[in-house]
Amino acid sequence: MRRTHTSRKRMRAIIGMFLLGWLLFPMPNQLFAQEKTLVMATSTHVPPYTDVDIEGGGYTTEIGRAALENVGYTVVIKFAPWARVLKVAQAGGYDGILGAFYSEERAQTLAFTDPLAQTEQVFLKKKGREIPYTGDLYELTPYKIGIVRGHTFPKQFEEATFLTKDEVAEPRQNIQKLMSDRIDVFVESKHIAYYLVKTQFPEYVGLLEQLSPPLKGQPI
């Protein structure tokens, strides 16, 4: 009886020590699972590429998530205004960004994958509005140009201090400002601009016109 009681006490002690060790020192596969979770950030409203209101978060969000999950990662997506996404990511606050344009400045702090898609940055105006443009930025000196805060542009446009640039937080704001005559023209990916008009501003379908030539072809 005494031996059985002693054996049980020893067994309980061993089990207790094992459980304490398990709590204090997680098993390797648990540590591995934690290391395999990535927090990726992207813009709140830049459809069709990324958008918190679209099922799947937009197609570049879906592609990025699928690619990472395919090699064993658990992916957490954070949506925020683009300027904030870029600032926090460059400071190391996120593991990565989904759907960013390449620029030499960004490449100093971010490592880029191969492109997921290709688009063109273009100037867009109201249909019927005469804005002469043949590719020389000086031609746009008399006009107020809408841009999105934190977006990257060709170097010649970035350095064109002779242009009047009006910043907004999201692309759809530029469409609203153009149609209410608060800006004369805005810069955007043509796919984003026409998608927004089609899905969020159907009353403006057919009322946007693209200036030619495009500002720049842009990989995403």
Side-chain angles (χ1 to χ4, degrees), residues 5 15 38 41 48 74 81 93 107 119 123 144 154 168 183 185 208 215:
H5 180 69
I15 292 172
L38 294 178
T74 298
T119 188
F123 292 107
K144 183 183 284 189
V168 295
I183 55 175
V185 63
L208 279 185
L215 183 59

Side-chain angles (χ1 to χ4, degrees), residues 16-37:
M17 291 176 66
F18 173 78
L19 289 174
L20 180 61
W22 182 78
L23 289 170
L24 293 177
F25 305 101
M27 297 298 285
N29 62 338
Q30 289 179 302
L31 288 173
F32 183 73
Q34 291 173 1
E35 291 171 357
K36 295 282 277 185
T37 296

